[in-house]
Amino acid sequence: MTTVVTDNCQGCRFTDCVAVCPVECFHYDGEMLYIDPDVCIDCSACIPECPVQAIFEEDDLPDDKREWIEINATRSKGLPVCSEQMDPLPGAEERKSALGF
Amino acid sequence: MAEGSGASGAPWQVAIVGSGPSGFYAAEALFKSGLPVQISMLERLPVPYGLVRSGVAPDHAKLKQVIDVYSRIAEMPGFEYYGNIRVGNDVSVGELCEAYDAVILACGAEADKPLGIDGESLAGSHTATEFVGWYNGHPDFRDRVFDLSHERAVIIGQGNVAADVARILARSPQELAHTDIAEHALEVLRTSKVREIFVVGRRGPAQAKFTSKELKEFGELEECDASIDPAELALNEASAAEIAGAGNAGAKRIVEIFSGFAARPPGKARRRVVFTFQKSPARIEGDSRVRNIVLEHNVLSGAPMNQSARGTGKFMSLETGLVFRSIGYRGIAMPGVPFDPRSGTIPNLAGRVVAEGQSVPQIYVAGWIKRGPTGIIGTNRADSVATVASLVADLPKLSAAGGKSGFASLRSLLHGRGTRPVSFSDWKRIDAAEVARGANLGKPREKFTYVREMLALLA
Ligand SMILES: Cc1cc2nc3c(=O)[nH]c(=O)nc-3n(C[C@H](O)[C@H](O)[C@H](O)COP(=O)(O)OP(=O)(O)OC[C@H]3O[C@@H](n4cnc5c(N)ncnc54)[C@H](O)[C@@H]3O)c2cc1C
Ligand code: SF4
Ligand code: SF4
């Protein structure tokens, strides 16, 4: 079991999730965040914080998003840790509205 | 790099009271501020980590890995841990204000909310806190006695703590044997006759406060079925609107999980957990001990996301020998510090303690004592970061003269009062001994459950 960030995070990167992560397991690139499954303790704190509902427990992932388990596991490894809240990416608010939130 | 305190450039001295998540995240935030700080963390027990040690359930081992983060903070230069010191008793907050530039109270919410009904104090009626503390080996609850000889237990409340209590009662001894559950509790649970566990919510399934993860676990227990009367899952219009809302995916998931339980054919497991909704306890009956609990049926009214429960005057009675109340926690007042008895918290603005609208210099709050018993471990991180931001902004005006001496000036005072501080390296000895005791039993650790045992090990 792990917890994964999915495509809704792309292009918005609000980092509300990061502020409540007890173990600093989020990593980031210019597009979105990824969770390191070896560090995450599956506490679920981040899930309700995400304004675009990008984060899922592995068991709750819709079938068309299961590829994100692998993407989080591999991408997180080479990227810097995001330990504090950052500014959202430009256009984040527009993207949030476009996603219907 | 910002300046140290006073002309000498000596580090700012900060005392943190309490070694739970909020205390450790406050320490982390102070270190990240870049200011030179010397932190003393004062904890009433010899052992650290607050509810991560004594609240988080023994069968949730992965969550406890958060302790690795805290022990890394504890090993940072500028951090000192002093266990076995109860602030307000062994040393006063006023004395801390003399010795330190700032004091952060992160002492949690250790009292329970009462139900306020007749029969609440009968034998067999307990708080969730007592039971949780008992199975987790908290010294305060070591000698509590729970009579598990009745076939039915009733838990009032539908949050994660209620779920923990229900799940520990529901699990088979084999499922718990290799966790860090206290051995004295495991022995009693092995003899448990409990077959049916009612978990009672005041409002409906859409308003239950479980996280989906905790709820799902009831579908995966070795010797226990989850059961719900499907009729109880009928949602009123406002509740249906609630779970359809884009921002309320969590509640929707909870209702789905409940529906999954309701749709299952009746199982044959030895035990079952029954979720029931829209009922409030009216009274607990019995002569010398609990014999049954009377519940009043509720109706919900109000706008979506703002519905409240109201009694209908229709009652039902459940025979039981064991009642647990789990309807929330309250902080305990700290002598010399303002307290709001209504919310059970210390009044504050952005973490600065306030009395009659004025902020009280030097004193800050973080975690459950600041915002009440809501949120999970990680919630305290954002909360402590906010408190420390206030503190860092205030430091320059707090102590222009500088030169506070921190723990050095408490040491002889505590010695004179017969208090023996427990250092972090002392804790590591206790920790190693607990892990070794656990290994003999096939457990990750076997906790010491009396303070005197912990101190004897260090003598
Ligand atoms: C039963 C239970 C189960 C939980 N399970 C989970 C879970 O599975 N996942 C999750 O994320 N969250 C869980 N939580 C929530 C989580 O434990 C809290 O959010 C968190 O512990 C609150 O942190 P805190 O530092 O404010 O308080 P605490 O963790 O309570 O820490 C307060 C500390 O202060 C000390 N203290 C108190 N008074 C004094 C004094 N006068 N002097 C010195 N020290 C003092 C206490 O001994 C304690 O160590 C659970 C909570 C409970 C009650
Ligand atoms: S809160 Fe959601 S959108 Fe924002 S960074 Fe986290 S996962 Fe991405
Ligand atoms: S589940 Fe918890 S530990 Fe994992 S990423 Fe989310 S907040 Fe961090």
Side-chain angles (χ1 to χ4, degrees):
Chain A
M1 244 300 275
T2 185
T3 306
V4 290
V5 186
T6 64
D7 44 352
N8 271 14
C9 180
Q10 281 168 337
C12 87
R13 210 182 64 186
F14 293 98
T15 42
D16 307 55
C17 54
V18 170
V20 298
C21 177
V23 294
E24 300 196 349
C25 60
F26 284 95
H27 296 250
Y28 68 103
D29 60 18
E31 200 171 48
M32 62 177 280
L33 265 59
Y34 309 88
I35 292 172
D36 181 346
D38 296 326
V39 180
C40 170
I41 58 172
D42 289 329
C43 73
S44 307
C46 53
I47 296 173
E49 297 298 318
C50 177
V52 293
Q53 290 174 13
I55 313 176
F56 293 85
E57 278 168 38
E58 184 179 328
D59 289 356
D60 289 346
L61 269 177
D63 283 339
D64 59 340
K65 292 192 195 283
R66 298 204 68 82
E67 57 177 328
W68 287 96
I69 300 173
E70 190 54 37
I71 300 174
N72 276 255
T74 45
R75 286 293 290 158
S76 62
K77 293 299 179 189
L79 293 167
V81 170
C82 178
S83 61
E84 275 156 77
Q85 249 181 304
M86 300 189 291
D87 291 332
L89 292 172
E93 282 302 331
E94 291 75 12
R95 172 144 165 91
K96 183 178 159 192
S97 322
L99 288 167
F101 293 100
Chain B
M1 171 83 61
E3 308 250 306
S5 104
S8 62
W12 298 100
Q13 296 283 350
V14 180
I16 297 176
V17 180
S19 67
S22 60
F24 275 102
Y25 291 124
E28 180 190 42
L30 280 164
F31 287 134
K32 281 194 177 163
S33 73
L35 290 170
V37 282
Q38 178 68 38
I39 297 171
S40 301
M41 179 177 276
L42 309 176
E43 164 60 49
R44 73 177 176 94
L45 294 176
V47 295
Y49 308 135
L51 287 169
V52 176
R53 177 180 164 104
S54 65
V56 172
D59 55 342
H60 286 169
K62 195 172 183 188
L63 274 171
K64 299 193 193 198
Q65 290 171 14
V66 73
I67 283 176
D68 297 345
V69 172
Y70 304 152
S71 64
R72 278 201 296 276
I73 296 168
E75 305 278 5
M76 289 171 80
F79 184 98
E80 283 164 341
Y81 171 81
Y82 299 105
N84 200 32
I85 298 173
R86 187 191 292 263
V87 174
N89 192 359
D90 297 318
V91 59
S92 70
V93 172
E95 286 164 335
L96 292 183
C97 289
E98 296 273 304
Y100 293 87
D101 293 296
V103 178
I104 302 176
L105 301 172
C107 47
E110 298 195 301
D112 286 80
K113 281 201 183 119
L115 292 170
I117 59 171
D118 285 346
E120 187 167 5
S121 50
L122 282 171
S125 163
H126 305 276
T127 65
T129 308
E130 293 171 275
F131 190 63
V132 168
W134 173 75
Y135 66 63
N136 276 326
H138 191 296
D140 287 5
F141 306 102
R142 168 64 179 84
D143 294 320
R144 293 300 154 101
V145 176
F146 298 93
D147 179 352
L148 307 183
S149 65
H150 198 280
E151 290 202 355
R152 184 184 287 140
V154 177
I155 300 165
I156 304 299
Q158 289 192 335
N160 285 338
V161 177
D164 284 350
V165 170
R167 202 179 61 257
I168 295 299
L169 288 170
R171 284 222 188 260
S172 67
Q174 308 82 272
E175 284 175 293
L176 295 170
H178 301 292
T179 72
D180 70 357
I181 191 167
E183 198 61 21
H184 64 252
L186 186 58
E187 269 166 35
V188 175
L189 288 165
R190 282 186 203 282
T191 65
S192 167
K193 300 240 166 21
V194 174
R195 303 292 283 263
E196 193 173 53
I197 302 150
F198 273 77
V199 183
V200 182
R202 190 165 52 91
R203 298 192 290 167
Q207 292 83 29
K209 292 277 176 254
F210 304 116
T211 54
S212 60
K213 178 115 146 259
E214 287 247 3
L215 188 57
K216 265 187 295 186
E217 282 186 271
F218 286 101
E220 298 154 8
L221 300 174
E222 265 177 22
E223 290 189 357
C224 182
D225 296 319
S227 125
I228 296 179
D229 173 358
E232 289 210 46
L233 293 179
L235 299 182
N236 67 4
E237 219 171 282
S239 298
E242 283 179 18
I243 65 166
N248 206 14
K252 177 157 177 267
R253 185 78 190 106
I254 294 292
V255 173
E256 282 168 10
I257 298 167
F258 280 139
S259 306
F261 293 162
R264 292 185 182 189
K268 294 194 196 58
R270 212 161 64 82
R271 292 189 172 131
R272 65 178 198 144
V273 168
V274 182
F275 294 93
T276 185
F277 306 97
Q278 289 184 219
K279 292 173 190 73
S280 293
R283 61 185 176 276
I284 300 172
E285 296 173 332
D287 302 319
S288 56
R289 54 173 302 112
V290 176
R291 197 177 59 234
N292 62 289
I293 181 165
V294 178
L295 304 173
E296 181 174 11
H297 292 266
N298 294 330
V299 282
L300 297 182
S301 58
M305 304 309 289
N306 207 10
Q307 297 188 77
S308 56
R310 190 163 33 82
T312 57
K314 225 178 99 208
F315 295 87
M316 66 175 280
S317 174
L318 279 176
E319 205 183 300
T320 180
L322 194 58
V323 174
F324 293 103
R325 53 189 184 273
S326 178
I327 55 163
Y329 292 83
R330 302 170 47 77
I332 297 171
M334 177 68 81
V337 178
F339 188 70
D340 176 3
R342 206 176 37 82
S343 63
T345 59
I346 295 176
N348 71 93
L349 284 172
R352 297 176 175 98
V353 172
V354 292
E356 284 140 27
Q358 294 286 323
S359 72
V360 179
Q362 290 179 274
I363 309 180
Y364 299 81
V365 282
W368 275 16
I369 192 64
K370 170 186 176 187
R371 59 173 206 281
T374 60
I376 52 181
I377 295 170
T379 322
N380 300 294
R381 184 156 171 255
D383 181 281
S384 292
V385 165
T387 291
V388 167
S390 297
L391 189 161
V392 167
D394 294 349
L395 270 183
K397 50 185 184 233
L398 277 181
S399 194
K404 297 274 189 173
S405 49
F407 198 77
S409 57
L410 295 186
R411 203 176 282 279
S412 62
L413 185 144
L414 288 166
H415 185 76
R417 292 174 188 169
T419 303
R420 183 222 192 274
V422 170
S423 68
F424 203 71
S425 55
D426 289 335
W427 151 245
K428 286 202 285 192
R429 284 168 61 197
I430 298 175
D431 184 34
E434 289 187 342
V435 171
R437 278 161 38 117
N440 294 333
L441 296 161
K443 292 167 136 188
R445 102 173 34 245
E446 184 61 44
K447 290 173 195 162
F448 292 106
T449 54
Y450 290 108
V451 168
R452 61 177 138 77
E453 288 177 326
M454 300 171 186
L455 297 180
L457 191 83
L458 304 173

